[in-house]
Amino acid sequence: MDFRVDMFIHQRWMESRLEISDDIFEEGDDYVTLLPEFFDNLWQPDPYFLNSKIAEIATLTHKFTSVTLYKNKTVRYAARMHAIIACQMEFQLYPMDIQVCPIYIESFSSNNQKVKLRWSDSGVTLNPELKLLQYNLGQPLELEESDGYMPEKVGNFSRLTVYFRFERQIGHHLIQTFAPSSLVVMLSWFSFWLGLDAIPGRVTLLVTCMLTLVTMFTGLRADIPPVAYVKALDLWMAGCMVSVFAALAEFVVVKVLDVQYQYQVNRIPKVLPMRISNMEKGQCATVASWEGGAVRSRKATQTPTTPGQTSLQGNGGPPKPARRQSLLSVAWTDTDTGVEKIMWREIDKVSRAVFPILFFVFVLLYWPILLMKSS
């Protein structure tokens, strides 16, 4: 990763070996601007950008440089330059990352015993009209003077360092990423209000939400260099995609439960109505009932009761109600209201509250942690 800098470089040093005649200065001036051919005969420091990929003096019809000589033997050199500076950027907190990129200026051939680099009183100043599209440039800039050992040149060399602090603007990503992805997740919750009689609409809604997030995620990854670690934006998009995928998985579950419920309802017919006529004394009757799709029969015996009443008992004792154990897993009867509860409908009702709550918990955990780490 790198960034480009257009800048004016000013160097000032004292050349005590010069012998200056006053004739070269105009009346009332204490300085003179030298021609390039005169400047080439002077001793010059040789600073360079240690971490630059490209650094060159700007040119149009000629190089934009100037050399000024003062009466006190001070030489001032100025040039317009542009450079591409390498920077080791970290994107773990993207898109709320803060990049600190240094520029190292070091003498190339003269060690710190011969040349000592110092920042001027003004240091590094920025153009007040400078505006970056994605970053805010932190102020003030941090300046540093140090000596660094260079094993390639076998010696200690004077070094100047300026640190640029780039703070990424979150507004663009709030509008282009976070807000749309949140709306897509909320749109997927509408599927819980669609019954299973609207299967094409429900499937289309959830699949469209998933494909929208995948397309959005793919476009965002093209904006930054590929890195091997997980970024904060990856976690957000993963949370959104998991939420939509969970809604799609919930639909599959309720559809399977509905199929089982319909199968059990159609498999268990109603008990056949039977009318038992008055039986003669000593005569044996048979009671038959449908239970679970098979016919079961038992003998009925007459038990003496009060006059005018007759009761039947099977060999196994009093008749028991038909069991529906296989149906209890997908439907049951509310003991309070007596209304039949169907499992898949109850899951849809619970999902209408659980899915928004879980997503809001994810948002409440994501943003405070991200803000805390970025600060």
Side-chain angles (χ1 to χ4, degrees), residues 110-221:
S110 302
N111 59 26
N112 58 355
Q113 300 296 325
K114 297 180 179 179
V115 173
K116 200 73 171 180
L117 301 179
R118 292 284 184 268
W119 289 112
S120 64
D121 295 337
S122 58
V124 179
T125 59
L126 295 176
N127 185 352
E129 298 181 357
L130 177 63
K131 292 183 180 180
L132 303 179
L133 295 179
Q134 296 189 31
Y135 294 95
N136 291 323
L137 198 55
Q139 294 277 6
L141 301 178
E142 182 181 352
L143 305 179
E144 186 179 279
E145 299 175 0
S146 62
D147 292 330
Y149 177 77
M150 297 296 295
E152 297 86 355
K153 297 183 288 185
V154 191
N156 293 318
F157 292 82
S158 182
R159 179 182 299 176
L160 301 178
T161 308
V162 54
Y163 294 93
F164 291 91
R165 180 184 175 91
F166 299 100
E167 301 175 0
R168 193 181 300 274
Q169 300 177 7
I170 191 62
H172 168 76
H173 291 279
L174 286 176
I175 298 174
Q176 299 293 331
T177 304
F178 292 104
S181 58
S182 299
L183 292 177
V184 171
V185 173
M186 295 178 185
L187 184 63
S188 68
W189 300 338
F190 293 163
S191 64
F192 303 136
W193 274 266
L194 298 177
L196 292 182
D197 54 342
I199 292 179
R202 190 165 179 173
V203 172
T204 302
L205 175 63
L206 292 174
V207 172
T208 302
C209 291
M210 178 62 72
L211 293 179
T212 301
L213 290 176
V214 171
T215 304
M216 187 183 304
F217 185 50
T218 304
L220 291 174
R221 293 182 65 88

Side-chain angles (χ1 to χ4, degrees), residues 42 86-87 107 168 178 213 310 334 347 357:
L42 295 177
C87 179
S107 177
R168 193 181 300 274
F178 292 104
L213 290 176
T310 301
D334 193 342
I347 292 178
I357 290 175

Side-chain angles (χ1 to χ4, degrees), residues 171-326:
H172 168 76
H173 291 279
L174 286 176
I175 298 174
Q176 299 293 331
T177 304
F178 292 104
S181 58
S182 299
L183 292 177
V184 171
V185 173
M186 295 178 185
L187 184 63
S188 68
W189 300 338
F190 293 163
S191 64
F192 303 136
W193 274 266
L194 298 177
L196 292 182
D197 54 342
I199 292 179
R202 190 165 179 173
V203 172
T204 302
L205 175 63
L206 292 174
V207 172
T208 302
C209 291
M210 178 62 72
L211 293 179
T212 301
L213 290 176
V214 171
T215 304
M216 187 183 304
F217 185 50
T218 304
L220 291 174
R221 293 182 65 88
D223 295 338
I224 60 175
V227 292
Y229 45 82
V230 178
K231 303 178 291 295
L233 186 61
D234 295 338
L235 296 177
W236 173 264
M237 297 303 297
C240 294
M241 295 178 66
V242 167
S243 180
V244 176
F245 180 80
L248 186 59
E250 188 268 351
F251 165 72
V252 175
V253 171
V254 299
K255 180 57 181 174
V256 171
L257 293 176
D258 178 64
V259 171
Q260 293 181 358
Y261 172 75
Q262 297 296 336
Y263 172 76
Q264 294 294 341
V265 169
N266 296 329
R267 183 172 176 265
I268 301 177
K270 297 181 179 179
V271 177
L272 293 178
M274 301 189 66
R275 184 177 299 173
I276 303 176
S277 60
N278 293 332
M279 297 178 295
E280 297 179 357
K281 184 178 180 179
Q283 187 176 7
C284 181
T286 300
V287 179
S289 64
W290 286 93
E291 190 173 312
V295 179
R296 299 181 60 184
S297 65
R298 61 182 181 274
K299 288 185 177 181
T301 58
Q302 187 172 3
T303 303
T305 58
T306 57
Q309 293 182 353
T310 301
S311 66
L312 298 177
Q313 292 183 353
N315 295 335
K320 299 179 180 180
R323 293 177 299 173
R324 300 171 68 183
Q325 294 178 355
S326 59

Side-chain angles (χ1 to χ4, degrees), residues 336-350:
D336 296 332
T337 62
V339 179
E340 185 183 26
K341 300 288 187 179
I342 302 176
M343 178 67 74
W344 70 265
R345 292 179 180 173
E346 297 302 317
I347 292 178
D348 267 352
K349 292 179 181 179
V350 173

